Amino acid sequence: MQDAQRDEDRDRGPAGVRGADHGVGEAAPAGADGPRRGDRGAAVRTPFDIGPAPARTAGRERRRAGTVELSTGVPGTLLVVPEVDGPVPLLVFFHGSGGTPQQSLDLVGAAAERHGTAVLAPRSTAHTWDVVVGGPGPDVAAVRRALAEAAGHVDVEASALGVGGFSDGASYALTVGLANPGTVGCVLAFSPGFVVDGVPGRRPRCFVSHGTADRVLPIDRTSRVVVPRLRGSGYDVQYREFDGGHEVPADAVEAAFAWWLTPGAGAGGG
């Protein structure tokens, strides 16, 4: 099971900040490596810049439907190409601490197949994502490279790029999503622990689910803190609590995909 170890990592934010204490509205870490632009066109620097949504490379033959291991980024990064003609939504899904890309696909692959979406499942360079163990760096760069390579395999609907994850991966998805408002349209966060502040721009819509009996990332000091902060900062959040522990129920995944792929859906829950 993902996140079976390293409780100390799951219950802290970037650089050792505990739980959800580092939340929306606080300063993001220094060290940005590229400019982004907010609503008024002013350059905004973020250390979590993943670049633009993948653009199809002209003249390259489309890869057949199926799962392919990408050659850039971190070895083991997987891309699932659906059996759909034309542009498709793409979900970048981050595994939990100690997890693998295949475990990411085990969580969301069936829903992706039903909805005809592509899935990019990166692998972290360490046991978990860089923001948890010291700050943004190698994982952000690897995701940028993987997204660029994905453009050679699948036509991505630029307006429907989503990021998601479980546990540490959910915290990373929220952090990356909020830091890329011009690229990411939706965030699917299953049992997150924290979120690093976003930047000005079009706010991504957010889906968050969490088990009320979660003993790894207790809900009272994680999602029940993070979600009100997101809403207070103007984010549109769909929030679901369920009777269960540190897990991702199939109905939560289905609800998350419906939320992601229905842009007109209003906020609710929680």
Side-chain angles (χ1 to χ4, degrees):
M1 177 179 177
Q2 292 186 52
D3 285 40
Q5 302 177 355
R6 310 183 199 280
D7 290 353
E8 72 280 6
D9 289 332
R10 300 188 199 104
D11 193 31
R12 70 185 184 189
V17 177
R18 300 291 296 180
D21 291 342
H22 189 102
V24 177
E26 300 177 18
D33 57 6
R36 298 196 63 77
R37 298 192 176 275
D39 288 332
R40 298 183 181 181
V44 177
R45 302 187 67 83
T46 165
F48 297 100
D49 193 335
I50 60 172
R56 176 71 175 150
T57 303
R60 291 191 64 178
E61 182 180 356
R62 184 183 184 277
R63 170 76 65 163
R64 291 182 179 179
T67 302
V68 59
E69 181 174 345
L70 300 185
S71 60
T72 58
V74 180
T77 294
L78 300 177
L79 174 69
V80 176
V81 180
E83 294 184 9
V84 177
D85 292 329
V88 298
L90 171 66
L91 176 66
V92 182
F93 197 87
F94 302 106
H95 60 71
S97 176
T100 66
Q102 184 57 55
Q103 288 175 318
S104 294
L105 298 185
D106 291 343
L107 289 176
V108 301
E113 183 176 1
R114 285 193 300 273
H115 290 275
T117 68
V119 179
L120 174 62
R123 180 190 293 273
S124 59
T125 54
H127 69 272
T128 191
W129 302 97
D130 50 17
V131 68
V132 180
V133 294
D139 290 330
V140 178
V143 170
R144 280 198 302 267
R145 294 194 300 271
L147 280 169
E149 184 179 352
H153 298 278
V154 63
D155 294 323
V156 177
E157 185 179 339
S159 63
L161 178 66
V163 295
F166 169 59
S167 193
D168 274 7
S171 301
Y172 202 57
L174 282 167
T175 298
V176 169
L178 270 58
N180 291 271
T183 299
V184 176
C186 194
V187 180
L188 312 182
F190 302 100
S191 305
F194 65 91
V195 57
V196 176
D197 192 22
V199 299
R202 175 178 60 88
R203 293 183 176 90
R205 299 159 59 249
C206 301
F207 179 98
V208 179
S209 73
H210 213 121
T212 56
D214 192 335
R215 298 178 63 182
V216 175
L217 288 173
I219 194 171
D220 283 337
R221 64 175 186 256
T222 55
S223 286
R224 288 180 179 172
V225 177
V226 168
V227 169
R229 287 179 174 176
L230 288 170
R231 287 175 172 166
S233 296
Y235 289 90
D236 185 6
V237 183
Q238 174 78 5
Y239 180 48
R240 291 168 59 104
E241 295 185 357
F242 59 89
D243 295 331
H246 198 60
E247 57 191 289
V248 185
D251 61 346
V253 175
E254 184 60 32
F257 269 71
W259 170 256
W260 168 35
L261 300 172
T262 310

